[in-house]
Amino acid sequence: MEHMLQQANKIALIGSMRSGSNLLLHMMRLEYSEHQSFEEYFNWETSKIKLEEKFNTISQTDHCILKYFPMIVPNFPHIIPLQILQRLAALKFKFILLRRNDLSAQLVSNAIATVRNNFYGGKNNPTEPIRIDPLFCLAEINNIRQCNNNIEILKTIANDYEDYYYETLLVEVVKNKLVSQKSVDQTLSETTKQIKGNFWDLVSNKEQVEDIVNFYKELNATDGNAYQELIKYIKTNHMH
């Protein structure tokens, strides 16, 4: 493998859905062969007992990579994102922080993946445009907001982290020697994107989704008040 990289023993990919975590985990599995990898390790179906079992597992695993989306899931109130991030930091995890600049593309990508029930491998067969419900937009924006806010908090408590954005991920991970170009090339040959071309071509209510996203962006805020304003806007303008 070209460039033997400086590898951390424990690595956590922290981001929101459709921010590049699947792609990066694929690359790192190729490169970090001695690391055991865990998909969405603290998922929504993890009970309190299972949560402690999972922490026991990773604490006792010398080399591991996991991914986690730090957002609140109402049906599982015991999974508290900041507590999980604090515990990972205490276990000396290296954090890879993943975000996406294009909120519209991220939202549409997750909507397409949800409709296809396919989040890990692209299917590039032509599909009919889908309608994205305004309430799906609301939920996704809130999830992304929570993840990004928790990432910012994590940066104040973690000693070892690297920041990446989806749009420049492939270039930056090689530049920073997180993975090698060989692993990037192999990953691209073995995976395909969910969407080719203009993502808006797959959205039947493009104008409605654009309006919701643009309203949220114009609020220029990431706190709960902005989210409440978005709820009011969607109820007033898009729930007829």
Side-chain angles (χ1 to χ4, degrees):
M1 190 72 68
E2 63 189 53
H3 300 305
M4 216 42 202
L5 309 176
Q6 293 182 353
Q7 300 176 1
N9 290 340
K10 299 180 189 293
I11 304 167
L13 311 186
I14 307 296
S16 50
M17 296 184 74
R18 319 310 293 172
S19 61
S21 60
N22 290 331
L23 193 65
L24 183 55
L25 184 59
H26 191 288
M27 297 176 205
M28 297 183 76
R29 280 174 172 159
L30 295 174
E31 191 111 27
Y32 295 53
S33 57
E34 76 280 17
H35 284 62
Q36 184 175 352
S37 61
F38 301 95
E39 290 276 1
E40 295 176 31
Y41 194 55
F42 304 105
N43 62 51
W44 353 121
E45 298 178 0
T46 301
S47 66
K48 289 184 179 180
I49 294 174
K50 287 286 187 183
L51 184 62
E52 294 308 314
E53 290 177 350
K54 286 175 179 287
F55 269 108
N56 287 337
T57 297
I58 58 173
S59 66
Q60 296 170 18
T61 304
D62 290 335
H63 296 81
C64 61
I65 303 173
L66 62 83
K67 54 184 286 192
Y68 173 53
F69 305 135
M71 61 191 188
I72 295 171
V73 181
N75 291 337
F76 300 91
H78 60 281
I79 300 181
I80 302 173
L82 284 178
Q83 287 185 2
I84 287 177
L85 296 177
Q86 288 169 340
R87 292 181 70 174
L88 292 175
L91 290 173
K92 308 300 182 185
F93 268 79
K94 176 185 179 70
F95 294 99
I96 306 300
L97 310 179
L98 299 167
R99 282 170 284 185
R100 190 163 180 162
N101 284 312
D102 192 335
L103 177 61
S104 296
Q106 186 171 5
L107 192 155
V108 171
S109 177
N110 200 39
I112 297 295
T114 300
V115 168
R116 294 175 174 179
N117 193 28
N118 184 60
F119 294 87
Y120 300 105
K123 293 181 180 178
N124 291 307
N125 299 323
T127 62
E128 292 296 321
I130 67 167
R131 179 183 180 277
I132 302 178
D133 191 282
L135 292 180
F136 182 92
C137 296
L138 178 65
E140 283 305 298
I141 289 173
N142 188 40
N143 290 340
I144 293 168
R145 177 184 68 85
Q146 286 185 37
C147 290
N148 289 347
N149 285 353
N150 285 328
I151 282 174
E152 288 303 316
I153 295 172
L154 175 60
K155 290 167 69 173
T156 68
I157 62 175
N159 294 321
D160 191 4
Y161 66 85
E162 295 181 16
D163 243 326
Y164 293 97
Y165 285 85
Y166 177 89
E167 289 80 3
T168 56
L169 180 64
L170 298 183
V171 172
E172 293 298 317
V173 291
V174 175
K175 177 182 175 182
N176 293 338
K177 298 188 175 178
L178 183 64
V179 298
S180 66
Q181 186 64 50
K182 183 176 179 179
S183 292
V184 172
D185 294 341
Q186 184 174 341
T187 295
L188 294 179
S189 71
E190 294 175 351
T191 61
T192 52
K193 295 183 69 174
Q194 284 276 7
I195 302 171
K196 282 189 175 180
N198 189 340
F199 62 88
W200 285 123
D201 292 340
L202 293 175
V203 182
S204 63
N205 59 329
K206 166 189 172 183
E207 291 78 12
Q208 185 178 41
V209 175
E210 277 188 311
D211 183 62
I212 291 170
V213 172
N214 288 337
F215 176 81
Y216 179 73
K217 287 180 177 179
E218 288 170 5
L219 292 174
N220 195 29
T222 58
D223 59 18
N225 289 332
Y227 178 61
Q228 293 302 317
E229 288 298 315
L230 182 62
I231 292 175
K232 294 177 186 176
Y233 185 78
I234 289 176
K235 286 182 176 180
T236 301
N237 296 278
H238 295 288
M239 299 298 292
H240 305 299

